[in-house]
Amino acid sequence: MIGVPVDRDLQKGSTATLALSLLSRSPMHGYQLVKELEAKSKGVLTFKEGTLYPVLHALEREELITAHWEADGGRERKVYHLAERGRDELRRRAAEWAEFRTAVDTVVQGGVFAYVG
């Protein structure tokens, strides 16, 4: 984990994009998504399941993901899959994020404080 905690508002605005990205690699249930986000970000991004599930339900309503129930070790889990519309939306969001990141980096690195990581 890095030394500077990430503001929850920054995480909140990117939760759907992160979920779409992970689901583009493999179908997962909610708890897997939480753990995978944490692992892939080396502990920088942490989400409670209560934060993630409303986002997953919204993505499902928007038909960006689909879900079905699967038996997993004697219990039923809702497994989420990226829909084709979700793949298109992920491409759009990734391009938007790259543009945003470049603009923020340009402003922050050109300002009084230059981040050296």
Side-chain angles (χ1 to χ4, degrees), residues 69-113:
W69 291 94
E70 278 185 12
D72 181 19
R75 60 190 297 200
E76 291 283 313
R77 293 186 183 261
K78 194 171 187 180
V79 178
Y80 298 91
H81 300 259
L82 187 67
E84 194 57 41
R85 284 183 62 186
R87 196 167 305 285
D88 294 340
E89 179 65 11
L90 177 58
R91 278 191 281 276
R92 187 195 69 73
R93 288 179 185 216
E96 181 180 56
W97 178 256
E99 186 77 17
F100 177 75
R101 183 184 61 231
T102 299
V104 170
D105 285 347
T106 299
V107 171
V108 170
Q109 293 173 2
V112 176
F113 171 79

Side-chain angles (χ1 to χ4, degrees), residues 41-53:
S41 70
K42 296 182 173 44
V44 173
L45 302 174
T46 58
F47 295 97
K48 292 181 172 44
E49 291 173 65
T51 301
L52 184 62
Y53 284 115

Side-chain angles (χ1 to χ4, degrees), residues 6 24 84 86:
V6 176
S24 74
E84 194 57 41

